[in-house]
Amino acid sequence: MNAHVPLPTLDDGCGVSVRQERGQRAVFCGLTGIVWLHRKIQDAFFLVVGSRTCAHLIQSAAGVMIFAEPRFATAIMDERDLAGLADMNDELDRVVARLIERRPDIRLLFLVGSCPSEVIKLDLGRAAQRLSRRLSPEVRVLSYSGSGIETTFTQGEDACLAALVPEMPAASPDAAPSLLVVGALADVVEDQFARLFADLGIAPVRFLPARRAAEMPPVGPNTRYLLAQPFLTDTARALEEHGATRLAAPFPLGAEGTTRWLKAAADAWGVAPAHFDAVTAPGLKRARRALEPYRDLLRAKRIFFFPDSQLEIPLARFLSREMEAELVEVGTPYLHRGHLTDDMALLPRLTQVVEGQSLDDQMDRCRLAKPDLTVCGLGLANPLEAEGLTTKWSIELLFTPIQGYDQAGDLAELFARPLVRRTRLEV
Amino acid sequence: MQLTVWTYEGPPHIGAMRVATAMRGLHYVLHAPQGDTYADLLFTMIERRDARPPVTYTTFQARDLGADTAEIFQSAAAAAYERFRPEAMIVGASCTAELIQDDPGGLAKALNLPIPVIPLELPAYQKKENWGASETFYRLVRALSGPAPASGTARERADGRRPLCNVLGPTALGFRHRDDLVEIKSLLDRLGIDVNVVAPLGASPSDLGRLAQADFNIVLYPEVARAAAQYLQKTFGQPMVETVPIGVRATIRFVEEVAVLAGVDPAAVLAGAPSRLPWYSRSVDSTYLTGKRVFIFGDATHALALARVAATEIGFKVVGLGTYTREFAREVRAEAEAHGIEALISDDYLDVEAAIQAAQPELVLGTQMERHIAKRLGVPCAVISAPIHVQDFPARHSPQMGFEGANVLFDTLVHPLMMGLEEHLIGMFREDSEFHADAAPSHLGAKPRPAPEPEPVTSITVTPAGPAPWAADAEKELKKIPFFVRGKARANTERFARERELALITVETLYDAKAHFGR
């Protein structure tokens, strides 16, 4: 939920100034998470229950790829549904039956709520239970909301993973401690982390979401979890309801972030510092070497973040501490102070964090500040470029492997690339 | 509820945005939840516009639901006026705002802004994008084109000026609207006709106030501009040209009709060889295109035009024709009848998929959505209509209309097909490791495609009874038929066997059916 208690401007104790802003917001709704989640969980299908707008959003985002077999669709509500002429639950059952007939390979079906379905209070939770009973054991049906009124962009992944938590097998109370890494990561990053944890002697290590529906990891009182993404508020809460404990850490972006993130797990497992250093030294060395050339490009560059994904604060921390960039303003759609404590503490004193958005006012501030690099969504990027500002489109940070040692250079390169491009083009 | 894998049109407020973004000095205040700003990307990314669309969204959230969403709308409208100072404003709701019933029209009126504020009623659960564009344009024209002349006033042309027309229909996010307009303006200029107003694309609200000064209207895209042109005809007595100049013959007819209305001589414009399509199509290397089976689907304007071009200007055989534009179903049905087939009028992607599978075409001309179907079925495909994605807003000049448009069409329609020599050699020698019947055309640089015989799709069964089984050697013989006609050969043979109630399909059956049906 976006709703939270408004807070006045305050010094959070870590020298960062947090201001809240309300007004027009240029952000995606949570349905957008489907664009990457359908690739991560390979036998899942995402059925949005909504309007033509919802269908249009997803295909405008994903439809540039040509799908022989799409893994998402929309059950579009029409007049008859709204007028109560058709029983919506019967209609939904009919649509799901047609879908399953067409796609017998589906093992996990998500009913995804939208603004229209939430406003008319269609109970998708109950529908999912009913359909699960009907379609089991072949297909599990779950529901979550990706509506814009409740979720912003990456919060859609949060809602999806939170819906998966009750499906996770219960680990017995006397099971050995296990580590759970939470948040959809690129396959290559997941594999690297798995190797690092193995070398540190941390086991067993599992990832949420798993790549297939049947392989979701167990959770119980001896589960310790590391968030790999900063936008997993509800997922974390659901895991804790099942007895899991969060390991506090900054997020694994850049050499420093990755080291501190791994350290949180190593400390929990009592890994000897010397062993930790020995295991992480090669990766750390590679990351630092990879970052070197980009530091010269990004040093002292003034960077302005529009709110988008909640990755902004960890990214700002990486850019300021490891790339020596200056932060003009760090916008974030929502700030989970608990999960971001460690990242905020590492931000330079007096960094201006803005939670929420008033689009036109923020654009005015951005134009006035004339930053060297503006991190923003694709609705603003080309218009700002045309005004002479260099932009980095923020959505790419969700579609690119950026976590861990061996992606630190790639992460820096994403920010350096638009600056380099400016110097190359002579037309 | 409708299971929608892909939707052919967006919701109607997207149509309104296409009109607002096409114009200058018009602002759109849209009551919509957070997240509906994705629509900005259609314009900034897909069409690569360099400015934000002139749209202010209220972007309400769950915590706003209740009494204050109306107030959010009013303050957004007031702030938008203060900041952008438009000449006119349109206000409306998106699908979610429609449910909370805040009446944007009434709320905006209460602000007493010193500009025309036009409320839009766009029922999001009944209507779609093109209707929304058409309705928005019609409302704007009605509100801004001025009062009707006193009855009995005859239209007269001022002395000494060239004939004057309006060009209606091009919008933002329109399929090739940018370049179609270049072609049409050039044709009109060579005919000695001046353009009064192009709208919505590039027009301001005050330009709409000058519409009545033209002698006649040209409707390039009936889906968007027919309703507005009919209003202008009724109110100001302006005749309209509705022939859509896509294809050589349609362009000639368009030029002749425009010339009659303007009272000019079209001979000079039509002289010589204004398009290369006729010669390219008559040259002998196009002979192998004769009778190639093509399935056509899109908006009504493009589907109708392409059916005529495919059949009479390229020499294909139209084996499927359909549209998602229900408003023009009658025209499309009539055209389909002329090709001896039944039109498919549907906005259900799964129906289109089933129809394409049943028709077994060698080429699909459709929208971005048919690309998905063609990929699944392994059939060549070209895009001829919206919905489209970023690759169909090209940098190069690529009209569909006019004589240059016909050149573009020839290249577009022929490119995905296997070239003649390759087709011949594959018919002759089937066991080559590189060039074989299941390979994709080599000029497309693709890897050999696996040759699945696509399994039947969805709940729509094409055959009432299951086909007779195939004998192993017959199945093997079928494999010797080149990929692009194999599906048709299989369907024909099975039909032949069913009609004769044969228990088994043999090699003989295959050749009997071939003799019976011809190619």
Side-chain angles (χ1 to χ4, degrees):
Chain A
M1 289 291 292
N2 286 312
H4 52 272
V5 183
L7 287 169
T9 300
L10 56 92
D11 185 309
D12 255 31
C14 49
V16 170
S17 146
V18 180
R19 203 159 53 75
Q20 291 195 316
E21 192 169 49
R22 290 196 61 177
Q24 193 189 168
R25 293 166 67 112
V27 289
F28 283 131
C29 65
L31 294 180
T32 329
I34 294 170
V35 175
W36 66 90
L37 287 168
H38 84 271
R39 302 303 281 271
K40 184 71 200 179
I41 312 175
Q42 292 159 18
D43 50 1
F45 193 98
F46 294 79
L47 180 66
V48 177
V49 181
S51 65
R52 194 165 300 281
T53 308
C54 311
H56 194 238
L57 155 76
I58 298 175
Q59 81 181 36
S60 301
V64 71
M65 301 193 300
I66 309 297
F67 290 86
E69 285 297 355
R71 294 209 286 267
F72 45 81
T74 309
I76 295 185
M77 306 189 307
D78 53 34
E79 276 190 293
R80 293 174 57 251
D81 300 305
L82 296 175
L85 297 174
D87 183 306
M88 279 220 204
N89 284 303
D90 293 349
E91 287 289 297
L92 189 58
D93 293 6
R94 187 179 55 78
V95 164
V96 169
R98 190 179 181 196
L99 175 67
I100 298 293
E101 180 183 303
R102 184 184 152 81
R103 299 294 308 279
D105 51 320
I106 297 170
R107 291 289 159 267
L108 177 60
L109 174 64
F110 286 103
L111 302 179
V112 188
S114 64
C115 297
S117 76
E118 297 293 328
V119 166
I120 62 169
K121 305 225 175 339
L122 178 61
D123 191 343
L124 289 181
R126 279 188 54 196
Q129 284 171 7
R130 181 180 67 244
L131 285 161
S132 260
R133 279 198 301 274
R134 190 169 307 169
L135 298 170
S136 70
E138 288 81 12
V139 188
R140 281 291 293 142
V141 186
L142 301 175
S143 73
Y144 72 88
S145 172
S147 73
I149 53 177
E150 295 166 296
T151 59
T152 303
F153 193 28
T154 47
Q155 286 176 319
E157 178 178 329
D158 185 27
C160 174
L161 300 191
L164 278 174
V165 172
E167 296 298 297
M168 294 162 75
S172 77
D174 52 6
S178 65
L179 179 64
L180 186 63
V181 177
V182 189
L185 290 168
D187 294 344
V188 62
V189 176
E190 208 171 279
D191 296 341
Q192 288 168 10
F193 284 157
R195 281 198 299 272
L196 278 166
F197 287 125
D199 292 347
L200 288 168
I202 298 172
V205 178
R206 299 191 184 88
F207 293 84
L208 180 71
R211 294 177 202 186
R212 307 197 76 83
E215 297 163 6
M216 293 301 160
V219 60
N222 291 318
T223 306
R224 291 146 186 189
Y225 70 93
L226 265 178
L227 293 179
Q229 299 280 23
F231 42 74
L232 297 170
T233 306
D234 291 348
T235 309
R237 192 181 308 128
L239 288 167
E240 288 176 10
E241 282 167 10
H242 286 70
T245 324
R246 184 173 77 95
L247 301 175
F251 289 90
L253 299 173
E256 179 190 36
T258 302
T259 305
R260 288 173 181 262
W261 187 76
L262 292 168
K263 186 82 177 131
D267 288 350
W269 257 259
V271 175
H275 182 57
F276 180 83
D277 291 345
V279 168
T280 53
L284 194 54
K285 197 171 149 197
R286 284 198 303 270
R288 286 183 178 147
R289 198 172 56 225
L291 289 173
E292 213 49 57
Y294 300 114
R295 189 173 301 113
D296 294 337
L297 286 162
L298 291 165
R299 181 178 292 120
K301 290 287 188 296
R302 300 167 59 255
I303 301 187
F304 191 108
F305 281 89
F306 278 82
D308 186 56
S309 64
Q310 299 180 50
L311 278 163
E312 296 82 7
I313 286 172
L315 288 168
R317 181 261 303 156
F318 160 75
L319 287 167
S320 69
R321 285 175 64 91
E322 299 189 43
M323 295 289 104
E324 297 168 32
E326 283 177 40
L327 305 174
V328 179
E329 178 173 316
V330 183
T332 182
Y334 172 71
L335 178 60
H336 189 295
R337 285 168 174 71
H339 291 173
L340 284 159
T341 300
D342 298 83
D343 280 288
M344 302 250 282
L346 296 169
L347 285 174
R349 266 193 66 73
L350 303 179
T351 296
Q352 181 61 66
V353 172
V354 177
E355 183 184 13
Q357 185 173 33
S358 169
L359 178 62
D360 286 313
D361 297 330
Q362 193 166 36
M363 288 186 81
D364 286 347
R365 293 198 299 273
C366 181
R367 288 173 182 130
L368 197 67
K370 291 198 177 63
D372 296 304
L373 187 65
T374 303
V375 185
C376 63
L378 289 172
L380 304 178
N382 275 334
L384 289 174
E385 289 279 349
E387 291 182 28
L389 292 173
T390 305
T391 63
K392 160 80 216 92
W393 55 286
S394 48
I395 301 136
E396 193 173 13
L397 298 156
L398 270 300
F399 293 154
T400 312
I402 56 172
Q403 294 84 359
Y405 288 132
D406 291 309
Q407 283 68 237
D410 303 345
L411 175 58
E413 195 273 340
L414 283 180
F415 292 97
R417 193 186 301 168
L419 296 167
V420 170
R421 189 168 177 74
R422 280 266 161 153
T423 65
R424 283 193 185 207
L425 300 181
E426 295 178 7
V427 288
Chain B
M1 278 186 202
Q2 186 188 11
L3 174 61
T4 308
V5 181
W6 302 107
T7 173
Y8 285 100
E9 295 181 70
H13 73 261
I14 298 290
M17 277 185 77
R18 285 176 51 192
V19 171
T21 306
M23 289 178 63
R24 296 173 295 115
L26 177 74
H27 201 82
Y28 184 15
V29 181
L30 179 63
H31 206 15
Q34 164 179 280
D36 280 6
T37 51
Y38 82 88
D40 285 353
L41 275 69
L42 305 171
F43 302 96
T44 61
M45 296 305 296
I46 294 180
E47 203 178 17
R48 279 196 181 79
R49 284 182 172 260
D50 60 2
R52 284 179 57 216
V55 182
T56 295
Y57 307 79
T58 52
T59 57
F60 55 83
Q61 294 170 266
R63 63 181 177 205
D64 302 319
L65 291 177
D68 63 351
T69 50
E71 191 197 330
I72 288 176
F73 178 84
Q74 274 195 310
S75 58
Y81 173 73
E82 282 308 317
R83 178 177 283 272
F84 300 105
R85 291 299 168 116
E87 287 180 36
M89 195 184 267
I90 48 180
V91 297
S94 80
C95 57
T96 305
E98 189 182 320
L99 298 172
I100 58 177
Q101 300 182 329
D102 274 338
D103 182 25
L107 292 168
K109 201 172 165 194
L111 290 173
N112 274 324
L113 296 174
I115 52 167
V117 176
I118 299 136
L120 299 175
E121 290 291 338
L122 306 176
Y125 298 91
Q126 301 170 33
K127 301 291 192 184
K128 299 198 277 292
E129 178 179 338
N130 281 331
W131 186 89
S134 173
E135 172 71 8
T136 303
F137 188 45
Y138 166 74
R139 292 284 158 199
L140 281 163
V141 166
R142 242 189 106 114
L144 302 171
S145 61
S151 62
T153 334
R155 291 193 60 77
E156 44 187 75
R157 187 183 305 171
D159 281 341
R161 69 158 170 84
R162 302 211 304 176
L164 197 58
C165 71
N166 298 316
V167 178
L168 306 180
T171 61
L173 215 64
F175 177 59
R176 310 293 169 90
H177 288 195
R178 176 196 71 192
D179 300 340
D180 283 351
L181 199 51
V182 172
E183 287 304 307
I184 297 307
K185 278 177 161 170
S186 144
L187 273 178
L188 291 170
D189 184 52
R190 283 181 288 143
L191 284 164
I193 300 167
D194 285 331
V195 174
N196 176 45
V197 174
V198 175
L201 193 60
S204 65
S206 47
D207 290 334
L208 297 187
R210 299 187 294 110
L211 283 170
Q213 294 167 16
D215 303 316
F216 62 97
N217 290 312
I218 290 173
V219 178
L220 285 188
Y221 307 102
E223 280 92 345
V224 176
R226 177 185 276 180
Q230 283 171 335
Y231 170 81
L232 292 168
Q233 184 167 32
K234 207 171 69 194
T235 312
F236 304 109
Q238 291 171 320
M240 61 185 186
V241 175
E242 267 212 288
T243 297
V244 175
I246 296 179
V248 177
R249 284 176 67 235
T251 302
I252 292 170
R253 216 168 52 239
F254 168 86
V255 167
E256 287 167 345
E257 286 175 24
V258 167
V260 168
L261 277 187
V264 297
D265 181 6
V269 170
L270 298 176
S275 171
R276 295 186 194 96
L277 180 144
W279 171 241
Y280 271 57
S281 220
R282 284 173 190 277
S283 67
V284 295
D285 72 326
S286 295
T287 310
Y288 85 110
L289 301 173
T290 313
K292 280 214 177 284
R293 305 163 52 79
V294 57
F295 191 103
I296 301 172
F297 194 84
D299 67 18
T301 296
H302 290 89
L304 286 169
L306 265 293
R308 289 159 198 163
V309 170
T312 63
E313 301 186 10
I314 314 256
F316 290 152
K317 177 173 169 51
V318 178
V319 296
L321 175 63
T323 183
Y324 56 82
T325 315
R326 286 179 191 280
E327 292 84 350
F328 294 79
R330 197 176 328 124
E331 289 91 326
V332 178
R333 284 204 179 95
E335 180 68 25
E337 218 163 284
H339 295 273
I341 50 177
E342 194 179 333
L344 171 68
I345 312 296
S346 175
D347 60 356
D348 187 333
Y349 168 86
L350 298 175
D351 288 352
V352 178
E353 186 176 59
I356 290 178
Q357 181 139 3
Q360 294 285 349
E362 294 165 72
L363 174 67
V364 174
L365 303 178
T367 72
Q368 177 75 10
M369 305 310 145
E370 279 62 56
R371 281 184 169 165
H372 303 287
I373 298 170
K375 178 180 179 183
R376 179 182 167 138
L377 302 180
V379 181
C381 176
V383 170
I384 51 103
S385 158
I388 42 183
H389 223 290
V390 62
Q391 60 276 62
D392 283 300
F393 288 95
R396 69 183 180 280
H397 185 58
S398 11
Q400 304 282 287
M401 289 185 174
F403 295 122
E404 178 59 22
N407 297 341
V408 171
L409 280 177
F410 181 88
D411 293 346
T412 305
L413 268 53
V414 173
H415 176 76
L417 296 167
M418 187 173 282
M419 290 175 141
L421 174 66
E422 191 165 339
E423 191 175 290
H424 282 296
L425 289 173
I426 280 174
M428 295 274 292
F429 311 108
R430 291 153 192 216
E431 291 172 16
D432 190 276
S433 60
E434 180 184 358
F435 298 96
H436 54 86
D438 298 331
S442 64
H443 74 284
L444 300 180
K447 286 197 167 54
R449 66 162 82 94
E453 292 291 341
E455 73 290 356
V457 187
T458 66
S459 53
I460 304 149
T461 22
V462 185
T463 51
W470 284 71
D473 57 349
E475 187 80 51
K476 211 165 136 193
E477 198 69 15
L478 180 70
K479 293 264 192 297
K480 297 178 187 172
I481 295 170
F483 180 86
F484 38 87
V485 287
R486 194 183 304 154
K488 186 65 195 168
R490 175 186 283 276
N492 278 350
T493 308
E494 288 174 355
R495 184 173 142 199
F496 182 85
R498 203 169 35 246
E499 283 167 1
R500 283 154 194 74
E501 294 177 358
L502 303 179
L504 183 73
I505 292 172
T506 63
V507 175
E508 261 57 42
T509 321
L510 180 66
Y511 287 120
D512 287 345
K514 181 171 188 257
H516 178 76
F517 289 107
R519 192 196 151 202

